[in-house]
Amino acid sequence: MAFSADVKQELCRPAVSRRCCAQAEAYGVLLFCGAFHPRQARIVTESPALKERLSALFRKAFKVSFDQTPEPGEGKGTFLIESPSKLKAIFDAFDLEWDGAVSLHINLAMLEEEHCRTAFLRGAFLAGGSVTDPMKGYHLELATSHYHVGRELPALLREAGFEPKETDRKGNHVIYFKQSDHIEDFLTFLGAPVSAMAVMNAKLERDLRGSVNRQVNCDSANLDKTVAAAREQLAAIERLKESGRLDFLPDKLKEAARLRLENPELNLNQLGALCEPTVSKSAFNHRMRKLMELAEQSEQEGLQNG
């Protein structure tokens, strides 16, 4: 989760200047946090940056303070509001029914301005989002326990130009991205361009490593083929020598056989360059094939005569 922590730290750096954006960001936090209903607002986080941000955010948005905050140095900490007056102030800010059963929705009237929509999505990610280290894979998600919120968020994202995927997991609705360029665009939209660049750089590095590995594997396969072919050629030439036929071959074939015997480690292109005059790889390969055919014929004749 180190990369997620870095992203959240970057998102928490800018101070919230507009109250409308503070409310929108807090709205995203509340709809994607541990619990939000008329009796309690509970935000659980292990992000040090979000812990530092929440108290100031809620004072700016609703002029309320938390009834409980984490102890300094605590790992996963809980922010809690149970005061009826504070909860009512929050619900009133979002035009929600405070008394009675509440089925939470995304109030789009709160998000008419683009900067407020960005703030809302930033809050949603800070409270309920995570992103995989791009050196290990590409996956960014936001999870909420509120059914209608989980169904409405993808529509909001599509309006902003994104194409998320959806799934359900352990009672939560999960909205996610699996492609690196979609993750880069989303992080940039939230206000984390440095993290988006890290995803881009990681993709370039992974692609480069993959290209190098493919080239190494290809070179290794080609080398194996060259070695195997050279062994077959050397064996064929040795059979011609043993049968006494090598000395009676045309000069070009004798030259090719001599060069192969003297230079077993060289490839066909290099052997062709040693000929007098030099010949192409294709021409030298033709000579090698002729030598192997003659060796095969000699072997078959020996079997017939035997």
Side-chain angles (χ1 to χ4, degrees):
M1 298 299 289
F3 186 69
S4 279
D6 291 343
V7 173
K8 292 180 180 182
Q9 183 175 8
E10 184 179 1
L11 291 175
C12 288
R13 285 193 190 112
V16 180
S17 55
R18 295 187 178 97
R19 190 181 184 203
C20 63
C21 288
Q23 289 183 340
E25 184 176 323
Y27 194 22
V29 168
L30 289 165
L31 292 181
F32 285 80
C33 68
F36 180 43
H37 50 73
R39 296 178 303 281
Q40 185 184 86
R42 184 176 75 252
I43 304 163
V44 180
T45 182
E46 57 184 348
S47 167
L50 184 56
K51 290 177 186 177
E52 293 180 9
R53 186 176 183 83
L54 278 174
S55 294
L57 180 67
F58 272 61
R59 282 196 301 270
K60 181 80 172 179
F62 315 114
K63 298 181 180 178
V64 300
S65 59
F66 287 98
D67 298 329
Q68 176 187 318
T69 57
E71 294 293 328
E74 188 176 349
K76 183 177 288 187
T78 300
F79 290 79
L80 190 65
I81 295 178
E82 292 181 322
S83 165
S85 61
K86 295 178 182 179
L87 289 167
K88 188 173 188 308
I90 295 172
F91 273 71
D92 286 347
F94 300 135
D95 196 23
L96 298 172
E97 294 280 343
W98 179 61
D99 50 350
V102 174
S103 180
L104 292 175
H105 291 262
I106 298 176
N107 184 353
L108 295 178
M110 297 284 301
L111 310 175
E112 291 182 351
E113 300 294 334
E114 183 176 346
H115 50 79
C116 289
R117 287 195 297 273
T118 300
F120 173 81
L121 292 170
R122 180 170 59 247
F125 180 81
L126 287 170
S130 64
V131 57
T132 303
D133 184 336
M135 291 305 296
K136 299 177 181 178
Y138 307 120
H139 184 88
L140 182 149
E141 69 175 43
L142 300 97
T144 178
S145 60
H146 302 297
Y147 176 82
H148 294 294
V149 173
R151 298 299 177 185
E152 293 160 354
L153 182 66
L156 183 65
L157 287 169
R158 291 186 184 100
E159 286 182 12
F162 301 102
E163 289 297 329
K165 298 182 182 297
E166 305 172 54
T167 189
D168 292 307
R169 185 198 305 143
K170 297 180 180 179
N172 288 328
H173 194 73
V174 180
I175 300 93
Y176 65 95
F177 299 100
K178 295 288 287 185
Q179 293 180 252
S180 62
D181 54 339
H182 293 176
I183 294 172
E184 292 165 21
D185 292 343
F186 186 64
L187 291 177
T188 301
F189 181 82
L190 293 185
V194 175
S195 298
M197 186 61 70
V199 175
M200 185 182 301
N201 289 338
K203 183 178 188 300
L204 291 173
E205 184 173 344
R206 291 180 70 185
D207 288 349
L208 179 60
R209 286 182 179 178
S211 177
V212 169
N213 288 337
R214 285 191 295 272
Q215 184 62 49
V216 168
N217 291 336
C218 181
D219 291 345
S220 178
N222 289 336
L223 179 60
D224 290 343
K225 290 179 182 178
T226 299
V227 170
R231 286 175 179 167
E232 291 180 5
Q233 293 159 7
L234 289 167
I237 295 168
E238 289 295 339
R239 291 199 300 273
L240 288 172
K241 284 179 64 177
E242 291 172 2
S243 67
R245 298 185 64 177
L246 186 61
D247 293 335
F248 299 98
L249 294 180
D251 290 342
K252 290 181 180 180
L253 292 183
K254 284 196 288 187
E255 180 188 40
R258 177 181 60 79
L259 289 173
R260 171 47 84 198
L261 289 171
E262 293 174 354
N263 305 279
E265 77 285 357
L266 298 185
N267 59 37
L268 298 178
N269 194 46
Q270 292 167 324
L271 289 170
L274 296 178
C275 291
E276 293 290 344
T278 62
V279 299
S280 67
K281 174 183 176 182
S282 176
F284 198 90
N285 185 44
H286 175 74
R287 296 179 186 182
M288 285 292 103
R289 286 203 308 269
K290 187 63 178 177
L291 287 168
M292 294 178 71
E293 288 174 5
L294 291 171
E296 182 68 22
Q297 289 176 8
S298 177
E299 188 171 8
Q300 289 178 357
E301 290 172 1
L303 290 173
Q304 291 173 357
N305 295 332

mmCIF file of all heavy atoms in Angstrom, residues 49-91:
data_model
loop_
_atom_site.group_PDB
_atom_site.id
_atom_site.type_symbol
_atom_site.label_atom_id
_atom_site.label_comp_id
_atom_site.label_asym_id
_atom_site.label_seq_id
_atom_site.Cartn_x
_atom_site.Cartn_y
_atom_site.Cartn_z
ATOM 1 N N ALA A 49 -1.433 11.421 5.973
ATOM 2 C CA ALA A 49 -1.812 12.686 5.326
ATOM 3 C C ALA A 49 -3.297 12.977 5.524
ATOM 4 O O ALA A 49 -3.680 14.120 5.794
ATOM 5 C CB ALA A 49 -1.476 12.620 3.838
ATOM 6 N N LEU A 50 -4.142 11.956 5.404
ATOM 7 C CA LEU A 50 -5.579 12.164 5.594
ATOM 8 C C LEU A 50 -5.902 12.467 7.054
ATOM 9 O O LEU A 50 -6.777 13.289 7.346
ATOM 10 C CB LEU A 50 -6.358 10.933 5.125
ATOM 11 C CG LEU A 50 -7.886 11.046 5.188
ATOM 12 C CD1 LEU A 50 -8.386 12.248 4.411
ATOM 13 C CD2 LEU A 50 -8.539 9.758 4.683
ATOM 14 N N LYS A 51 -5.172 11.848 7.974
ATOM 15 C CA LYS A 51 -5.379 12.150 9.403
ATOM 16 C C LYS A 51 -5.123 13.627 9.689
ATOM 17 O O LYS A 51 -5.862 14.264 10.446
ATOM 18 C CB LYS A 51 -4.456 11.292 10.267
ATOM 19 C CG LYS A 51 -4.815 9.815 10.310
ATOM 20 C CD LYS A 51 -3.781 9.067 11.137
ATOM 21 C CE LYS A 51 -3.998 7.576 11.090
ATOM 22 N NZ LYS A 51 -2.947 6.836 11.844
ATOM 23 N N GLU A 52 -4.085 14.153 9.081
ATOM 24 C CA GLU A 52 -3.763 15.569 9.290
ATOM 25 C C GLU A 52 -4.796 16.490 8.637
ATOM 26 O O GLU A 52 -5.028 17.602 9.096
ATOM 27 C CB GLU A 52 -2.371 15.877 8.731
ATOM 28 C CG GLU A 52 -1.236 15.201 9.484
ATOM 29 C CD GLU A 52 0.119 15.547 8.886
ATOM 30 O OE1 GLU A 52 0.161 16.437 8.008
ATOM 31 O OE2 GLU A 52 1.133 14.942 9.285
ATOM 32 N N ARG A 53 -5.425 16.018 7.584
ATOM 33 C CA ARG A 53 -6.310 16.868 6.788
ATOM 34 C C ARG A 53 -7.752 16.908 7.328
ATOM 35 O O ARG A 53 -8.439 17.937 7.214
ATOM 36 C CB ARG A 53 -6.333 16.354 5.349
ATOM 37 C CG ARG A 53 -7.118 17.226 4.356
ATOM 38 C CD ARG A 53 -6.976 16.649 2.953
ATOM 39 N NE ARG A 53 -7.614 17.431 1.920
ATOM 40 C CZ ARG A 53 -7.089 18.498 1.326
ATOM 41 N NH1 ARG A 53 -5.896 18.930 1.697
ATOM 42 N NH2 ARG A 53 -7.742 19.144 0.378
ATOM 43 N N LEU A 54 -8.221 15.797 7.900
ATOM 44 C CA LEU A 54 -9.643 15.662 8.193
ATOM 45 C C LEU A 54 -10.200 16.731 9.132
ATOM 46 O O LEU A 54 -11.279 17.288 8.877
ATOM 47 C CB LEU A 54 -9.928 14.270 8.761
ATOM 48 C CG LEU A 54 -10.074 13.155 7.728
ATOM 49 C CD1 LEU A 54 -10.201 11.795 8.416
ATOM 50 C CD2 LEU A 54 -11.282 13.404 6.830
ATOM 51 N N SER A 55 -9.519 17.008 10.217
ATOM 52 C CA SER A 55 -10.063 17.966 11.193
ATOM 53 C C SER A 55 -10.250 19.339 10.565
ATOM 54 O O SER A 55 -11.315 19.968 10.720
ATOM 55 C CB SER A 55 -9.139 18.059 12.410
ATOM 56 O OG SER A 55 -9.125 16.838 13.122
ATOM 57 N N ALA A 56 -9.246 19.815 9.834
ATOM 58 C CA ALA A 56 -9.351 21.114 9.170
ATOM 59 C C ALA A 56 -10.432 21.084 8.091
ATOM 60 O O ALA A 56 -11.172 22.062 7.897
ATOM 61 C CB ALA A 56 -8.007 21.505 8.562
ATOM 62 N N LEU A 57 -10.543 19.961 7.390
ATOM 63 C CA LEU A 57 -11.546 19.826 6.329
ATOM 64 C C LEU A 57 -12.960 19.956 6.893
ATOM 65 O O LEU A 57 -13.794 20.672 6.335
ATOM 66 C CB LEU A 57 -11.371 18.474 5.635
ATOM 67 C CG LEU A 57 -12.340 18.170 4.489
ATOM 68 C CD1 LEU A 57 -12.086 19.098 3.311
ATOM 69 C CD2 LEU A 57 -12.205 16.705 4.059
ATOM 70 N N PHE A 58 -13.246 19.285 8.002
ATOM 71 C CA PHE A 58 -14.598 19.305 8.570
ATOM 72 C C PHE A 58 -14.909 20.655 9.223
ATOM 73 O O PHE A 58 -16.061 21.085 9.229
ATOM 74 C CB PHE A 58 -14.772 18.142 9.559
ATOM 75 C CG PHE A 58 -15.229 16.878 8.889
ATOM 76 C CD1 PHE A 58 -14.455 16.264 7.905
ATOM 77 C CD2 PHE A 58 -16.439 16.297 9.226
ATOM 78 C CE1 PHE A 58 -14.864 15.112 7.270
ATOM 79 C CE2 PHE A 58 -16.876 15.133 8.601
ATOM 80 C CZ PHE A 58 -16.083 14.539 7.611
ATOM 81 N N ARG A 59 -13.901 21.309 9.768
ATOM 82 C CA ARG A 59 -14.140 22.657 10.305
ATOM 83 C C ARG A 59 -14.496 23.613 9.163
ATOM 84 O O ARG A 59 -15.405 24.448 9.306
ATOM 85 C CB ARG A 59 -12.896 23.165 11.045
ATOM 86 C CG ARG A 59 -12.734 22.586 12.444
ATOM 87 C CD ARG A 59 -11.748 23.399 13.263
ATOM 88 N NE ARG A 59 -10.424 23.452 12.636
ATOM 89 C CZ ARG A 59 -9.455 22.567 12.856
ATOM 90 N NH1 ARG A 59 -9.682 21.546 13.672
ATOM 91 N NH2 ARG A 59 -8.284 22.693 12.267
ATOM 92 N N LYS A 60 -13.769 23.495 8.043
ATOM 93 C CA LYS A 60 -14.033 24.357 6.891
ATOM 94 C C LYS A 60 -15.404 24.060 6.290
ATOM 95 O O LYS A 60 -16.151 24.976 5.914
ATOM 96 C CB LYS A 60 -12.947 24.137 5.831
ATOM 97 C CG LYS A 60 -13.091 24.985 4.571
ATOM 98 C CD LYS A 60 -12.581 26.378 4.775
ATOM 99 C CE LYS A 60 -12.539 27.161 3.499
ATOM 100 N NZ LYS A 60 -12.054 28.538 3.673
ATOM 101 N N ALA A 61 -15.755 22.777 6.205
ATOM 102 C CA ALA A 61 -16.985 22.371 5.522
ATOM 103 C C ALA A 61 -18.229 22.595 6.365
ATOM 104 O O ALA A 61 -19.244 23.101 5.870
ATOM 105 C CB ALA A 61 -16.892 20.900 5.117
ATOM 106 N N PHE A 62 -18.175 22.229 7.661
ATOM 107 C CA PHE A 62 -19.392 22.218 8.484
ATOM 108 C C PHE A 62 -19.267 23.004 9.792
ATOM 109 O O PHE A 62 -20.236 23.100 10.548
ATOM 110 C CB PHE A 62 -19.755 20.765 8.841
ATOM 111 C CG PHE A 62 -19.677 19.814 7.684
ATOM 112 C CD1 PHE A 62 -18.729 18.794 7.671
ATOM 113 C CD2 PHE A 62 -20.524 19.931 6.602
ATOM 114 C CE1 PHE A 62 -18.640 17.903 6.620
ATOM 115 C CE2 PHE A 62 -20.454 19.042 5.541
ATOM 116 C CZ PHE A 62 -19.503 18.030 5.545
ATOM 117 N N LYS A 63 -18.073 23.504 10.078
ATOM 118 C CA LYS A 63 -17.809 24.195 11.339
ATOM 119 C C LYS A 63 -18.059 23.274 12.530
ATOM 120 O O LYS A 63 -18.627 23.678 13.553
ATOM 121 C CB LYS A 63 -18.650 25.466 11.458
ATOM 122 C CG LYS A 63 -18.346 26.482 10.360
ATOM 123 C CD LYS A 63 -19.181 27.747 10.521
ATOM 124 C CE LYS A 63 -18.859 28.759 9.421
ATOM 125 N NZ LYS A 63 -19.672 29.986 9.513
ATOM 126 N N VAL A 64 -17.651 22.028 12.392
ATOM 127 C CA VAL A 64 -17.783 21.059 13.476
ATOM 128 C C VAL A 64 -16.425 20.397 13.722
ATOM 129 O O VAL A 64 -15.563 20.367 12.836
ATOM 130 C CB VAL A 64 -18.834 19.966 13.167
ATOM 131 C CG1 VAL A 64 -20.205 20.580 12.937
ATOM 132 C CG2 VAL A 64 -18.411 19.113 11.982
ATOM 133 N N SER A 65 -16.246 19.854 14.907
ATOM 134 C CA SER A 65 -15.043 19.105 15.249
ATOM 135 C C SER A 65 -15.427 17.654 15.522
ATOM 136 O O SER A 65 -16.599 17.335 15.768
ATOM 137 C CB SER A 65 -14.374 19.697 16.493
ATOM 138 O OG SER A 65 -15.274 19.667 17.592
ATOM 139 N N PHE A 66 -14.453 16.773 15.473
ATOM 140 C CA PHE A 66 -14.712 15.353 15.730
ATOM 141 C C PHE A 66 -14.844 15.109 17.226
ATOM 142 O O PHE A 66 -14.150 15.728 18.045
ATOM 143 C CB PHE A 66 -13.587 14.490 15.157
ATOM 144 C CG PHE A 66 -13.610 14.390 13.659
ATOM 145 C CD1 PHE A 66 -12.796 15.210 12.880
ATOM 146 C CD2 PHE A 66 -14.453 13.491 13.024
ATOM 147 C CE1 PHE A 66 -12.806 15.119 11.498
ATOM 148 C CE2 PHE A 66 -14.480 13.400 11.640
ATOM 149 C CZ PHE A 66 -13.662 14.219 10.882
ATOM 150 N N ASP A 67 -15.717 14.186 17.583
ATOM 151 C CA ASP A 67 -15.855 13.781 18.981
ATOM 152 C C ASP A 67 -14.699 12.884 19.407
ATOM 153 O O ASP A 67 -14.362 12.802 20.596
ATOM 154 C CB ASP A 67 -17.184 13.034 19.192
ATOM 155 C CG ASP A 67 -18.386 13.911 18.889
ATOM 156 O OD1 ASP A 67 -18.288 15.141 19.105
ATOM 157 O OD2 ASP A 67 -19.416 13.387 18.430
ATOM 158 N N GLN A 68 -14.113 12.192 18.452
ATOM 159 C CA GLN A 68 -12.973 11.311 18.737
ATOM 160 C C GLN A 68 -12.003 11.365 17.569
ATOM 161 O O GLN A 68 -12.406 11.331 16.412
ATOM 162 C CB GLN A 68 -13.441 9.863 18.939
ATOM 163 C CG GLN A 68 -12.305 8.864 19.138
ATOM 164 C CD GLN A 68 -12.810 7.424 19.169
ATOM 165 O OE1 GLN A 68 -13.833 7.137 19.787
ATOM 166 N NE2 GLN A 68 -12.092 6.525 18.501
ATOM 167 N N THR A 69 -10.712 11.473 17.890
ATOM 168 C CA THR A 69 -9.663 11.444 16.863
ATOM 169 C C THR A 69 -8.600 10.433 17.276
ATOM 170 O O THR A 69 -8.487 10.085 18.459
ATOM 171 C CB THR A 69 -9.009 12.828 16.691
ATOM 172 O OG1 THR A 69 -8.482 13.258 17.958
ATOM 173 C CG2 THR A 69 -10.024 13.849 16.181
ATOM 174 N N PRO A 70 -7.797 9.951 16.368
ATOM 175 C CA PRO A 70 -6.781 8.952 16.704
ATOM 176 C C PRO A 70 -5.707 9.518 17.623
ATOM 177 O O PRO A 70 -5.435 10.726 17.634
ATOM 178 C CB PRO A 70 -6.182 8.570 15.339
ATOM 179 C CG PRO A 70 -7.157 9.051 14.328
ATOM 180 C CD PRO A 70 -7.828 10.239 14.918
ATOM 181 N N GLU A 71 -5.093 8.629 18.371
ATOM 182 C CA GLU A 71 -3.943 8.996 19.190
ATOM 183 C C GLU A 71 -2.747 9.254 18.288
ATOM 184 O O GLU A 71 -2.596 8.614 17.243
ATOM 185 C CB GLU A 71 -3.606 7.877 20.182
ATOM 186 C CG GLU A 71 -4.669 7.623 21.237
ATOM 187 C CD GLU A 71 -4.804 8.802 22.191
ATOM 188 O OE1 GLU A 71 -3.789 9.483 22.444
ATOM 189 O OE2 GLU A 71 -5.930 9.046 22.672
ATOM 190 N N PRO A 72 -1.859 10.179 18.651
ATOM 191 C CA PRO A 72 -0.653 10.423 17.837
ATOM 192 C C PRO A 72 0.167 9.150 17.686
ATOM 193 O O PRO A 72 0.371 8.410 18.642
ATOM 194 C CB PRO A 72 0.106 11.482 18.654
ATOM 195 C CG PRO A 72 -0.950 12.156 19.467
ATOM 196 C CD PRO A 72 -1.955 11.089 19.805
ATOM 197 N N GLY A 73 0.614 8.892 16.479
ATOM 198 C CA GLY A 73 1.427 7.711 16.214
ATOM 199 C C GLY A 73 0.635 6.440 16.007
ATOM 200 O O GLY A 73 1.206 5.387 15.703
ATOM 201 N N GLU A 74 -0.685 6.493 16.173
ATOM 202 C CA GLU A 74 -1.522 5.312 15.991
ATOM 203 C C GLU A 74 -1.542 4.924 14.510
ATOM 204 O O GLU A 74 -1.597 5.780 13.629
ATOM 205 C CB GLU A 74 -2.938 5.637 16.480
ATOM 206 C CG GLU A 74 -3.878 4.441 16.525
ATOM 207 C CD GLU A 74 -5.231 4.818 17.110
ATOM 208 O OE1 GLU A 74 -5.349 5.931 17.665
ATOM 209 O OE2 GLU A 74 -6.162 4.002 17.000
ATOM 210 N N GLY A 75 -1.501 3.622 14.210
ATOM 211 C CA GLY A 75 -1.494 3.157 12.826
ATOM 212 C C GLY A 75 -2.815 3.446 12.143
ATOM 213 O O GLY A 75 -3.018 4.502 11.540
ATOM 214 N N LYS A 76 -3.737 2.512 12.221
ATOM 215 C CA LYS A 76 -5.069 2.724 11.666
ATOM 216 C C LYS A 76 -5.887 3.459 12.720
ATOM 217 O O LYS A 76 -6.100 2.964 13.817
ATOM 218 C CB LYS A 76 -5.727 1.393 11.311
ATOM 219 C CG LYS A 76 -7.093 1.527 10.668
ATOM 220 C CD LYS A 76 -7.670 0.176 10.281
ATOM 221 C CE LYS A 76 -6.944 -0.398 9.082
ATOM 222 N NZ LYS A 76 -7.600 -1.648 8.585
ATOM 223 N N GLY A 77 -6.326 4.658 12.382
ATOM 224 C CA GLY A 77 -7.015 5.499 13.362
ATOM 225 C C GLY A 77 -8.458 5.766 12.982
ATOM 226 O O GLY A 77 -8.849 5.697 11.818
ATOM 227 N N THR A 78 -9.277 6.104 14.003
ATOM 228 C CA THR A 78 -10.706 6.344 13.804
ATOM 229 C C THR A 78 -11.076 7.770 14.167
ATOM 230 O O THR A 78 -10.722 8.266 15.251
ATOM 231 C CB THR A 78 -11.544 5.375 14.665
ATOM 232 O OG1 THR A 78 -11.240 4.028 14.287
ATOM 233 C CG2 THR A 78 -13.044 5.624 14.469
ATOM 234 N N PHE A 79 -11.792 8.427 13.253
ATOM 235 C CA PHE A 79 -12.388 9.741 13.505
ATOM 236 C C PHE A 79 -13.891 9.514 13.674
ATOM 237 O O PHE A 79 -14.527 8.887 12.814
ATOM 238 C CB PHE A 79 -12.141 10.688 12.333
ATOM 239 C CG PHE A 79 -10.708 11.112 12.184
ATOM 240 C CD1 PHE A 79 -9.779 10.270 11.589
ATOM 241 C CD2 PHE A 79 -10.281 12.364 12.633
ATOM 242 C CE1 PHE A 79 -8.458 10.657 11.436
ATOM 243 C CE2 PHE A 79 -8.963 12.760 12.491
ATOM 244 C CZ PHE A 79 -8.048 11.899 11.894
ATOM 245 N N LEU A 80 -14.445 10.052 14.763
ATOM 246 C CA LEU A 80 -15.834 9.723 15.103
ATOM 247 C C LEU A 80 -16.630 10.970 15.435
ATOM 248 O O LEU A 80 -16.158 11.863 16.150
ATOM 249 C CB LEU A 80 -15.839 8.768 16.314
ATOM 250 C CG LEU A 80 -17.158 8.105 16.686
ATOM 251 C CD1 LEU A 80 -17.627 7.167 15.586
ATOM 252 C CD2 LEU A 80 -17.001 7.341 18.009
ATOM 253 N N ILE A 81 -17.849 11.029 14.900
ATOM 254 C CA ILE A 81 -18.822 12.051 15.282
ATOM 255 C C ILE A 81 -20.116 11.341 15.653
ATOM 256 O O ILE A 81 -20.683 10.607 14.840
ATOM 257 C CB ILE A 81 -19.086 13.058 14.139
ATOM 258 C CG1 ILE A 81 -17.837 13.859 13.830
ATOM 259 C CG2 ILE A 81 -20.234 13.999 14.516
ATOM 260 C CD1 ILE A 81 -18.010 14.839 12.667
ATOM 261 N N GLU A 82 -20.573 11.559 16.901
ATOM 262 C CA GLU A 82 -21.837 10.978 17.362
ATOM 263 C C GLU A 82 -22.771 12.033 17.933
ATOM 264 O O GLU A 82 -23.916 11.737 18.261
ATOM 265 C CB GLU A 82 -21.570 9.889 18.401
ATOM 266 C CG GLU A 82 -20.877 8.656 17.808
ATOM 267 C CD GLU A 82 -20.641 7.574 18.837
ATOM 268 O OE1 GLU A 82 -20.311 7.934 19.996
ATOM 269 O OE2 GLU A 82 -20.785 6.386 18.506
ATOM 270 N N SER A 83 -22.293 13.256 18.073
ATOM 271 C CA SER A 83 -23.121 14.348 18.589
ATOM 272 C C SER A 83 -24.284 14.618 17.634
ATOM 273 O O SER A 83 -24.062 14.897 16.447
ATOM 274 C CB SER A 83 -22.273 15.610 18.746
ATOM 275 O OG SER A 83 -23.110 16.741 18.899
ATOM 276 N N PRO A 84 -25.542 14.533 18.108
ATOM 277 C CA PRO A 84 -26.700 14.779 17.233
ATOM 278 C C PRO A 84 -26.658 16.142 16.543
ATOM 279 O O PRO A 84 -27.012 16.247 15.368
ATOM 280 C CB PRO A 84 -27.891 14.666 18.194
ATOM 281 C CG PRO A 84 -27.406 13.763 19.281
ATOM 282 C CD PRO A 84 -25.963 14.114 19.464
ATOM 283 N N SER A 85 -26.206 17.168 17.245
ATOM 284 C CA SER A 85 -26.198 18.501 16.634
ATOM 285 C C SER A 85 -25.178 18.586 15.500
ATOM 286 O O SER A 85 -25.422 19.210 14.458
ATOM 287 C CB SER A 85 -25.891 19.562 17.697
ATOM 288 O OG SER A 85 -24.609 19.341 18.275
ATOM 289 N N LYS A 86 -24.032 17.945 15.685
ATOM 290 C CA LYS A 86 -23.010 17.947 14.644
ATOM 291 C C LYS A 86 -23.463 17.133 13.429
ATOM 292 O O LYS A 86 -23.288 17.544 12.275
ATOM 293 C CB LYS A 86 -21.689 17.388 15.180
ATOM 294 C CG LYS A 86 -21.047 18.237 16.263
ATOM 295 C CD LYS A 86 -19.774 17.588 16.774
ATOM 296 C CE LYS A 86 -19.149 18.412 17.903
ATOM 297 N NZ LYS A 86 -17.916 17.766 18.430
ATOM 298 N N LEU A 87 -24.058 15.975 13.692
ATOM 299 C CA LEU A 87 -24.547 15.152 12.597
ATOM 300 C C LEU A 87 -25.647 15.868 11.817
ATOM 301 O O LEU A 87 -25.709 15.800 10.590
ATOM 302 C CB LEU A 87 -25.065 13.811 13.130
ATOM 303 C CG LEU A 87 -23.978 12.848 13.627
ATOM 304 C CD1 LEU A 87 -24.588 11.702 14.408
ATOM 305 C CD2 LEU A 87 -23.174 12.302 12.447
ATOM 306 N N LYS A 88 -26.507 16.572 12.554
ATOM 307 C CA LYS A 88 -27.586 17.307 11.874
ATOM 308 C C LYS A 88 -27.009 18.404 10.983
ATOM 309 O O LYS A 88 -27.495 18.642 9.873
ATOM 310 C CB LYS A 88 -28.547 17.909 12.891
ATOM 311 C CG LYS A 88 -29.799 18.525 12.243
ATOM 312 C CD LYS A 88 -30.806 18.955 13.277
ATOM 313 C CE LYS A 88 -32.111 19.390 12.601
ATOM 314 N NZ LYS A 88 -31.960 20.370 11.539
ATOM 315 N N ALA A 89 -25.956 19.074 11.457
ATOM 316 C CA ALA A 89 -25.321 20.115 10.643
ATOM 317 C C ALA A 89 -24.762 19.528 9.353
ATOM 318 O O ALA A 89 -24.872 20.135 8.280
ATOM 319 C CB ALA A 89 -24.205 20.785 11.442
ATOM 320 N N ILE A 90 -24.196 18.326 9.453
ATOM 321 C CA ILE A 90 -23.645 17.671 8.265
ATOM 322 C C ILE A 90 -24.758 17.253 7.316
ATOM 323 O O ILE A 90 -24.711 17.505 6.105
ATOM 324 C CB ILE A 90 -22.785 16.458 8.673
ATOM 325 C CG1 ILE A 90 -21.555 16.916 9.460
ATOM 326 C CG2 ILE A 90 -22.362 15.654 7.439
ATOM 327 C CD1 ILE A 90 -20.756 15.790 10.070
ATOM 328 N N PHE A 91 -25.802 16.630 7.858
ATOM 329 C CA PHE A 91 -26.909 16.180 7.015
ATOM 330 C C PHE A 91 -27.624 17.364 6.363
ATOM 331 O O PHE A 91 -28.039 17.287 5.206
ATOM 332 C CB PHE A 91 -27.882 15.330 7.838
ATOM 333 C CG PHE A 91 -27.515 13.875 7.879
ATOM 334 C CD1 PHE A 91 -26.410 13.432 8.601
ATOM 335 C CD2 PHE A 91 -28.255 12.942 7.190
ATOM 336 C CE1 PHE A 91 -26.063 12.104 8.644
ATOM 337 C CE2 PHE A 91 -27.919 11.594 7.224
ATOM 338 C CZ PHE A 91 -26.821 11.168 7.951
#
